Amino acid sequence: MDTETRSHDNLVSPPRKSREVARRSLTLALVVGATLFGMVVAGGFDLTPSGFAETSTATMVQVEPVTGLPSFADLAEAVSPAVVSIQAVKIERGPRGRGGNPFEFFFGPRNQPPQQGPEGQGEEPPGRRADSSGSGFVISADGLVVTNHHVIEDAEELVVFLNGREYPAEIQGDDPATDIALLKIEPEEPLAYLQLADSETVRVGDWVMAIGSPLQLNNSVSVGVVSAMGRSINITPDASLENFIQTDAAINFGNSGGPLVDLRGRVIGVATAINFGAENIGFAVPSSTLESILPQLRDSGVVRRGYLGVNITDLGFEEAAAFGFDSTDGALVTQVLPESPAGQAGIRHGDIIVKVDDRDVANNRDLIDYVASKPPNTKVDVKLFRGGDYVDTAVTLGERPGVGDAPPEPAEETEGAIEWLGLQYQDISGALRDAHSIPSSVDGVWVTSVEPDSPLFDKNVRPGDVIVDVNGDQVDGVEAFEAAVEAVESGKYLRLYVSRVDPRTGQVAASFFAVVQVP
C-alpha cells in the first residue's frame, strides 16, 4: 500500500530535483526572452551596439556639439548706439493708389485711413501728408548714415533719431539701382559708428543679427542665420544688379535700411525687403555692394557704372556642349545691343566671355559686378571663346543706361511645320513686318505657335519670337530654316538664336539661345 501510494504521489507531484530543473529552465527562458526583447527595443531606438553598426556600408554623419555660443545681449548692446530710426515726411499728391511700388509686395501696402474732404464724403485733398519710417546706421563719426533708397524716396523732409536725439538729415547720395541711400547729419560730437565687413567671406549658416525699428519699435533685435547668397528678387529698377543676402532673422516693415551684422558687430548687409507671404524670408544688400558705391555716393551723390552693352546668361551643360566649350564657366552673350561698346569692339552673340582684365568670369555675376564697378570710359580687356578659338579684344566702357521696356505680347497663331520641334512658323513678309513693327535689321522665321510639350517651350521660345540663325548660320526664311535644322545629325545639338521684338517700340527687347538635342 505504501508503494502504491508513493507511485500515485509521483504522478501528481514531481520530486524535488525535477522541480529544481524546471525552475532553472524557466529562469533561462526568461533571461533569453528578455535579451531578445532588449535587442529589438534597442534597434527601434537606434541603440544598436557599435559592433553591429560598424558592419554597415553607410557612413553616419557626426558633428561636434556646438558649445560656447556668444552672448547676443553683448552684441546688441555694442551695436545699438550706432543704429538710427528715420522719419520721412512725404506729401502725396493726386489720386491715391499703390503707385506700383514693388516693395509693397514684400512689406504689404501702407494702409492709412483716408482724410475727409470738405464735404465729409471721404474725398482726399490734392496734397496729403504721408509720413513713413525706416532704419539706418552710422558709418562715420561725423554723421554719415546708410539707409535704403525706398525709405527716403520722394521725401520732402528727413529726421534721424539717434540715442534720444533728433537730427535733420540731408541726402548725400542716392542709388535706386541697388536701393541704397546715404544721409548726412550734423552731430555736436563724434558718433559711434559701424564697420563694414567683407560680405564675400560670408557663408550660408553664419549667425547674423538684424537691428532696426520695425513698426516704429526702436532698437528691436532679431537673430538668425544666413539662409542663402546671391538672390535676385526683381524689386529694384535693374534686377541684373541684385545680389541679395537671404536671412531668416526677422525683418519687418520699418527694418528697411537697418544693419545686418555678424558676431563681431560688423555690417554684412543692409536690410531691404521680406517676402510678405512667407515667414522669416528676408533680404539684405551685401556690404560689398555698399562699399563699392560708397565713394561715389559720398563724393558726387550719384553712381555711374560701366556698361558693355550685352545681354548674358550662365552656361549650362547643354549650352556649353552646343558651342563646343569644355566648361560651364563663363558668360554666354545672348544679345549685343545696337551701337554698344561691345558691338563696336566686335563682340557677337554666341561669344562666351571667360575673362575680363585679370579676372576670371565663372558666371554672370562675376562679369556684371566687375564691369559695373568701373566708371564709364574705362578700357577693359576681354577674352572670349568663339567657334573653337579664344579671341582677345579691348572695350571702352560706356555708361549704364536705365531699364528697358516691358516684354511683348504674343502674336496670333497660324499653321506651321517640323513636328518633333513642336514648332510652327512662317516667313516674315512686308505686311507681317509692318503689323508687328519688326525692324528691318531682324530677319529669320516668325514663330506663330509653340506646343506645350515642345522642347523649345522649356527654352522660353514663344509665339511672336523670331528665329534669326541656326547653329551660327543666319536664316532668311522658312526654306533656309528647315534646311539648317535638317542638316543637324541625330544626337547633336541644335542651337537657335532667337530675338524678341516689342511691337510697341519696334525694338529688340531680348535675344537668347535655345539649345535642344536632335532626337
Side-chain angles (χ1 to χ4, degrees), residues 81-82 138 140-145 162-163 165-167 184-193:
V138 181
S140 69
D142 62 350
L144 286 177
V145 175
L162 174 64
N163 300 327
R165 299 283 302 276
E166 296 183 17
Y167 299 92
K184 182 68 171 69
I185 61 176
E186 299 297 336
E188 297 177 355
E189 54 188 39
L191 300 176
Y193 62 92

Side-chain angles (χ1 to χ4, degrees), residues 12 19 30 34 46 91 118 124 216 239 426 441 474 482 513:
V12 175
R19 290 198 303 271
L30 290 173
D46 290 334
I91 306 299
E124 295 178 326
Q216 300 183 355
Q426 67 181 60
S441 59
Q474 189 166 356
E482 292 178 346
F513 286 96

Side-chain angles (χ1 to χ4, degrees), residues 92-97 124-128:
E92 294 183 355
R93 295 179 172 86
R96 182 176 182 172
E124 295 178 326
R128 178 182 63 256

Side-chain angles (χ1 to χ4, degrees), residues 109-161:
R110 303 178 185 183
N111 292 322
Q112 296 180 357
Q115 297 183 15
Q116 297 294 316
E119 301 301 324
Q121 301 300 317
E123 298 177 0
E124 295 178 326
R128 178 182 63 256
R129 177 164 170 162
D131 291 0
S132 63
S133 63
S135 304
F137 56 95
V138 181
I139 60 167
S140 69
D142 62 350
L144 286 177
V145 175
V146 171
T147 187
N148 282 141
H149 159 77
H150 74 265
V151 170
I152 58 92
E153 184 179 13
D154 299 328
E156 300 195 9
E157 181 182 346
L158 293 168
V159 179
V160 168
F161 299 87

Side-chain angles (χ1 to χ4, degrees), residues 113-295:
Q115 297 183 15
Q116 297 294 316
E119 301 301 324
Q121 301 300 317
E123 298 177 0
E124 295 178 326
R128 178 182 63 256
R129 177 164 170 162
D131 291 0
S132 63
S133 63
S135 304
F137 56 95
V138 181
I139 60 167
S140 69
D142 62 350
L144 286 177
V145 175
V146 171
T147 187
N148 282 141
H149 159 77
H150 74 265
V151 170
I152 58 92
E153 184 179 13
D154 299 328
E156 300 195 9
E157 181 182 346
L158 293 168
V159 179
V160 168
F161 299 87
L162 174 64
N163 300 327
R165 299 283 302 276
E166 296 183 17
Y167 299 92
E170 298 292 335
I171 299 175
Q172 182 87 6
D174 189 21
D175 183 37
T178 57
D179 197 31
I180 292 293
L182 185 66
L183 307 182
K184 182 68 171 69
I185 61 176
E186 299 297 336
E188 297 177 355
E189 54 188 39
L191 300 176
Y193 62 92
L194 300 183
Q195 176 187 1
L196 300 183
D198 181 6
S199 58
E200 298 296 324
T201 64
V202 173
R203 301 169 61 201
V204 173
D206 282 349
W207 282 105
V208 290
M209 175 181 285
I211 306 180
S213 302
L215 303 176
Q216 300 183 355
L217 300 172
N218 293 348
N219 291 105
S220 293
V221 171
S222 61
V223 175
V225 298
V226 173
S227 304
M229 302 289 292
R231 293 297 199 206
S232 178
I233 53 178
N234 298 308
I235 63 168
T236 61
D238 193 341
S240 65
L241 294 175
E242 293 185 351
N243 185 26
F244 289 108
I245 297 172
Q246 180 183 330
T247 179
D248 67 349
I251 297 174
N252 293 284
F253 185 69
N255 272 111
S256 293
L260 191 70
V261 301
D262 62 15
L263 294 185
R264 296 176 60 183
R266 303 173 306 175
V267 178
I268 68 164
V270 183
T272 298
I274 61 171
N275 190 317
F276 187 63
E279 182 177 350
N280 288 4
I281 298 182
F283 302 93
V285 177
S287 57
S288 59
T289 298
L290 169 60
E291 192 166 27
S292 69
I293 65 174
L294 201 51

Side-chain angles (χ1 to χ4, degrees), residues 309-312 333-338 349 497 508-513:
V310 296
N311 289 333
I312 55 177
V333 178
T334 60
Q335 182 182 8
V336 180
L337 302 179
H349 69 263
Y497 184 61
V508 176
S511 292
F512 58 93
F513 286 96

